[in-house]
Amino acid sequence: MIRIPSERRGKYSNAQHGKFFPKHPEKFTGTETPEFKSSLERNFMLYADKNPAIVQWGYENRVVKYLDQSSRPAKVRRYYIDFVCRVRVGN
């Protein structure tokens, strides 16, 4: 079992979080150093950074606005897409 230092755990859970420093920063399309909020996100960042078929990748840099009609009055909310990747297909 891997022990995670307390400063790397989430505020309300044992979820791992922290900054990710890409080994291939030219592939990352964001403006700031990405911060993962779980080990699943960290693992995908490692995968996207190492995989030669992934040409570019971004983290939470696309926003989708939607109308939340369940709240009264209805509110416009934002959803941040976790990952967007550009993948090389074929040769």
Side-chain angles (χ1 to χ4, degrees):
M1 180 175 196
I2 299 172
R3 296 186 59 79
I4 301 169
S6 60
E7 66 272 5
R8 306 265 308 178
R9 293 183 187 158
K11 185 175 180 181
Y12 299 107
S13 69
N14 286 331
Q16 190 176 20
H17 72 282
K19 292 191 176 199
F20 179 77
F21 299 95
K23 297 225 186 284
H24 304 282
E26 68 279 0
K27 292 173 68 172
F28 180 66
T29 60
T31 56
E32 298 178 8
T33 304
E35 293 188 31
F36 56 88
K37 298 178 204 80
S38 69
S39 59
L40 184 64
E41 288 181 348
R42 180 185 55 85
N43 290 343
F44 188 80
M45 288 178 184
L46 283 167
Y47 174 77
D49 193 41
K50 291 180 179 180
N51 190 332
I54 296 179
V55 179
Q56 286 182 331
W57 65 277
Y59 176 68
E60 291 188 346
N61 57 356
R62 300 269 172 96
V63 180
V64 176
K65 291 184 180 180
Y66 65 96
L67 185 62
D68 181 6
Q69 295 180 340
S70 64
S71 61
R72 296 288 178 232
K75 294 182 181 179
V76 175
R77 300 200 185 266
R78 295 175 293 182
Y79 173 74
Y80 293 87
I81 298 174
D82 288 338
F83 292 97
V84 176
C85 297
R86 181 170 293 182
V87 181
R88 181 181 310 126
V89 178
N91 297 336

